[in-house]
Amino acid sequence: MTTPSSASAALTRLLGCRVPLQQAPMGAVSGPRLATAVADAGGVGTLSAAGWSAADLADRLDEVVPRTHGVLAVNVAGEPVTDVVAAAAERVPLVDFFWSDPRPDVVDLVHRAGALACWQVGSDAEARAAVDAGCDLLAVQGTEAGGHVRGTGPLLPLLDAVLAWAPVPVLAAGGISDRDEVAAVLGAGAAGVRMGTRFLATPESAAHPAYKQAVLAAGTGATVVSADFADCPLCRTSPRARVLRACVEALDDQVRAGTARWPASGRPPTEDVEGPVAAAAMYAGEGVGRISGLVPVAELMAALCPPAEATSDRAVTSSLRRGVEQLGSSLGS
Ligand SMILES: Cc1cc2nc3c(=O)[nH]c(=O)nc-3n(C[C@H](O)[C@H](O)[C@H](O)COP(=O)(O)O)c2cc1C
């Protein structure tokens, strides 16, 4: 039987990282500084291909990849463009897909370039389609997740269902913010963890200072799944994204007053944006209420998860109960 630590060790062996933790892609918020810091700390740092042509992405990766000896991934969200996928697969060991139906031809393209393919899925049926398409690993996303929400159910039941049959390592995503929750999902059998929101509150993330502040200030129940950022390309196919409730309220106020300045585009506010950002899409998962400080990535990674080979079953079990309780109670918020 696969134990929590052996599943994690299989994942780290497959990817060549030391820590079974992937920083989730977060558009321009997860820029090179964040991704390379996570990679340097032994996890998988993820860059986003959104908005880049194949040639520009290739140039960017040629510049960023040599900055770290760690593992980087590139995320392709929405319908994959094959030359963008190829540019990524030729330069990083993992290409990561979301918000489109799994496609064998795209996975094959990744494999032919020598990389691995991961698909983030929101249902058991989608997980089966990803495995049938040839994916090397899966990320299962529960509705607790920050950003675009693919499925309709919470993480733990979906994780259980997929782990019952999946022949590939499975990452758990959605609402995970601290060490106990990491231990809980590893204890439940996940090979690794994919976390987005927690990485917003790091000095290395490119989130706007007001966004970081809003994340730190958020309490329990501070998020909502919204269809309000409908100009976003992903929302055009299914307008469902978990954001801070405060930004939806600010958008409502601006729309009512006829002063909307933010084009509801779904772009999360980055540090280079000037002017008011209160009504921008501030994506955040349900775990946001448990983020207590702006912590540098290396420190955060060390606190969240020891390297896979050091993740003993005893250490996992000691945190398991607290983490399961926290994840369970966040579902009610
Ligand atoms: C600010 C933000 C932006 C995101 N952008 C993307 C994206 O571009 N592509 C993608 O695959 N997932 C994106 N996600 C979703 C993540 O892949 C992941 O499912 C989520 O972060 C996990 O939940 P958590 O944020 O509670 O940790 C985003 C999440 C956040 C918080």
Side-chain angles (χ1 to χ4, degrees):
M1 188 184 126
T2 309
T3 63
S5 51
S6 69
S8 296
L11 177 81
T12 54
R13 261 199 312 277
L14 181 68
L15 295 177
C17 58
R18 299 192 307 278
V19 180
L21 204 157
Q22 180 192 17
Q23 159 255 312
M26 294 186 285
V29 167
S30 59
R33 191 168 167 228
L34 176 61
T36 56
V38 172
D40 286 346
V44 178
T46 312
L47 295 158
S48 170
W52 296 86
S53 68
D56 289 347
L57 179 68
D59 287 348
R60 183 183 208 220
L61 293 174
D62 287 343
E63 195 268 308
V64 174
V65 170
R67 287 194 218 166
T68 177
H69 293 297
V71 178
L72 292 174
V74 170
N75 171 254
V76 176
E79 206 46 55
V81 175
T82 49
D83 56 350
V84 169
V85 173
E90 284 159 10
R91 290 169 175 83
V92 293
L94 178 65
V95 187
D96 178 276
F97 298 91
F98 185 46
W99 215 259
S100 65
D101 294 334
R103 274 175 44 190
D105 62 318
V106 170
V107 175
D108 190 45
L109 180 62
V110 171
H111 287 164
R112 275 187 281 121
L116 299 166
C118 176
W119 220 284
Q120 181 171 244
V121 299
S123 69
D124 192 64
E126 197 179 21
R128 287 179 192 274
V131 167
D132 288 348
C135 284
D136 307 282
L137 58 159
L138 297 171
V140 300
Q141 187 203 48
T143 47
E144 303 91 331
H148 292 81
V149 177
R150 185 73 171 165
T152 55
L155 173 61
L156 291 177
L158 177 60
L159 180 64
D160 269 356
V162 173
L163 285 172
W165 60 266
V168 297
V170 177
L171 298 160
I176 300 164
S177 287
D178 65 22
R179 185 186 180 96
D180 290 342
E181 292 162 349
V182 169
V185 291
L186 296 180
V193 182
R194 170 172 171 128
M195 295 169 75
T197 303
R198 184 60 192 86
F199 284 102
L200 291 170
T202 59
E204 292 91 342
S205 98
H208 191 282
Y211 187 9
K212 293 185 185 182
Q213 199 44 50
V215 164
L216 293 175
T220 309
T223 67
V224 61
V225 174
S226 170
D228 283 339
F229 296 92
D231 293 345
C232 150
L234 299 188
C235 282
R236 278 186 211 129
T237 53
S238 173
R240 302 179 67 234
R242 186 174 290 284
V243 294
L244 292 177
R245 191 184 299 276
C247 72
V248 174
E249 289 167 359
L251 188 63
D252 286 349
D253 288 347
Q254 290 192 355
V255 169
R256 259 196 303 275
T259 58
R261 294 182 53 131
W262 197 267
S265 67
R267 261 181 301 120
T270 42
E271 57 200 355
D272 53 346
V273 169
E274 288 173 13
V277 297
M282 295 196 192
Y283 300 118
E286 280 189 355
V288 70
R290 294 185 293 280
I291 297 176
S292 51
L294 198 73
V295 181
V297 164
E299 199 182 308
L300 177 63
M301 295 278 294
L304 286 172
C305 192
E309 60 273 21
T311 310
S312 72
D313 291 351
R314 195 158 60 86
V316 167
T317 311
S318 69
S319 282
L320 182 58
R321 181 175 296 278
R322 281 194 305 278
V324 168
E325 281 166 4
Q326 281 177 18
L327 281 172
S329 69
S330 79
L331 295 179
S333 60

